[in-house]
Amino acid sequence: MENRKIPLAGVIGCPIAHSKSPQIHGHWLRTLGISGHYIPMDVTPEDLENVIRTLPRAGFVGVNVTIPHKERVLEIADICTDRATLIGAANTLIFRKDSKILADNTDGYGFMKNLEMAESGWQPGSGPAALFGAGGAARAVVAALLHAGVPEIMISNRTRVRAEALQSEFGKRITVFDWVQAGNMLDTAKLVVNTTSLGMIGKPPLRVPLDGLRKGTLVTDLVYAPLKTKLLQTAEEMGCSTVDGLGMLLHQAVPGFERWFGERPEVDSATRAAALR
Ligand code: NAP
């Protein structure tokens, strides 16, 4: 009998029950006919390092990492990609054959790929972007947009100092607006992104006045529950193009899956359906 190890991967968070990653990776494993498994793991911050160091010995080829561990894993990893270092957080760990742990951040890749696939007409160089929020996800989005050539990013965050921290780190292409003036960013924006958790099921609504939105502006929301947020609904009614946040979640999962299981999966309507099940 063949004695081949079945590759294991998973997602580590605390809590983890809400994660859609097991559905996404499970769907790809099934449709590609790969004999591997992807497991959700609820791990406390106290146990994180021990668990990560034990997993390779138990047959794991890597894991995704989510809240609240995304920053901490950079200290545990032996090697960090440039983008993970720049963002200051990782969402993907690869357990290499040489026993080294590599940390990567694929959120920015997922964000850009989602826009490219859903809205092929949008050119990053076409004009300024406006961002609501300055948390962890915003850092990945800012790094990706600057890398893609967006000329200016206007940021407004409830806690202004967090937006200013992004400005001092990412440089003079960033401008900061007070949270009460967030609506003023919209008149010149070619792209509008909500990176806050506002508008998500169970969270308060995004109350930024949207009357400054212009027809034809591309509007996207990182929140994907609900799929069509109030922001996207209003933007659509005002003649904007809209892209929901589920695609980002699907695309950010692709590089990890490919590294762990050796095949690059497709993000298609069946993947979306699997994530929504
Ligand atoms: P985070 O680091 O905790 O940041 C949360 C952001 O939301 C901060 O800018 C925070 O502002 C703002 N915020 C929260 N409550 C607020 C309120 N009541 N009023 C005004 N602002 C408020 O979280 P994150 O990791 O960046 O995630 C943000 C959202 O993106 C979450 O909904 C997450 O699910 C989503 N996300 C989606 C994807 C995807 O693949 N689609 C990937 C990553 C994240 P303060 O700084 O003032 O607190």
Side-chain angles (χ1 to χ4, degrees):
M1 218 207 311
E2 199 187 359
N3 186 20
R4 218 165 51 87
K5 273 195 178 167
I6 292 179
L8 303 175
V11 55
I12 297 181
C14 188
I16 200 62
H18 67 282
S19 174
K20 291 188 183 297
S21 296
Q23 280 122 281
I24 298 167
H25 289 271
H27 167 78
W28 285 333
L29 287 168
R30 269 193 310 281
T31 53
L32 291 168
I34 296 171
S35 61
H37 296 286
Y38 186 96
I39 300 149
M41 288 171 275
D42 197 328
V43 178
T44 63
E46 297 73 49
D47 290 336
L48 183 68
E49 181 157 5
N50 270 341
V51 170
I52 287 177
R53 297 211 182 279
T54 307
L55 287 175
R57 282 183 262 146
F60 277 76
V61 287
V63 284
N64 286 125
V65 181
T66 187
I67 290 169
H69 304 313
K70 283 178 157 189
E71 287 87 20
R72 173 80 179 95
V73 290
L74 287 191
E75 294 160 28
I76 298 170
D78 301 293
I79 307 160
C80 301
T81 61
D82 289 346
R83 58 189 180 183
T85 306
L86 184 68
I87 295 162
N91 66 349
T92 307
L93 298 182
I94 291 134
F95 302 148
R96 301 192 337 178
K97 290 210 169 72
D98 62 3
S99 300
K100 298 249 189 286
I101 298 174
L102 171 70
D104 193 11
N105 192 314
T106 63
D107 275 342
Y109 164 82
F111 173 78
M112 291 307 297
K113 200 73 192 169
N114 186 33
L115 288 191
E116 271 167 45
M117 301 303 283
E119 193 60 37
S120 55
W122 176 70
Q123 297 292 329
S126 63
L131 241 74
F132 305 132
R139 293 181 69 86
V141 169
V142 166
L145 287 176
L146 290 177
H147 182 73
V150 169
E152 182 194 353
I153 304 178
M154 300 171 274
I155 305 180
S156 184
N157 191 50
R158 175 182 60 175
T159 311
R160 188 184 162 102
V161 287
R162 284 184 98 184
E164 286 170 347
L166 285 180
Q167 184 181 40
S168 59
E169 247 178 276
F170 286 96
K172 54 181 189 302
R173 277 197 277 161
I174 310 284
T175 48
V176 175
F177 284 63
D178 275 339
W179 186 233
V180 287
Q181 284 170 356
N184 293 353
M185 304 189 295
L186 302 177
D187 333 344
T188 55
K190 289 277 186 198
L191 169 72
V192 175
V193 189
N194 176 37
T195 74
T196 73
S197 48
L198 297 173
M200 193 171 153
I201 292 169
K203 301 274 180 185
L206 178 74
R207 289 214 175 82
V208 174
L210 298 173
D211 41 307
L213 272 178
R214 288 174 315 154
K215 201 171 168 194
T217 300
L218 176 58
V219 180
T220 186
D221 203 326
L222 266 55
V223 170
Y224 53 81
L227 211 47
K228 191 179 278 188
T229 60
K230 202 77 205 294
L231 168 66
L232 295 185
Q233 199 182 320
T234 308
E236 219 173 83
E237 287 161 11
M238 292 176 78
C240 300
S241 311
T242 60
V243 178
D244 69 53
L246 184 62
M248 174 178 172
L249 183 77
L250 304 180
H251 284 287
Q252 63 77 31
V254 169
F257 187 95
E258 185 179 22
R259 288 293 294 267
W260 303 325
F261 299 114
E263 278 196 58
R264 193 164 183 88
E266 284 282 321
V267 172
D268 53 15
S269 53
T271 322
R272 276 179 76 87
L276 293 171
R277 262 200 290 278

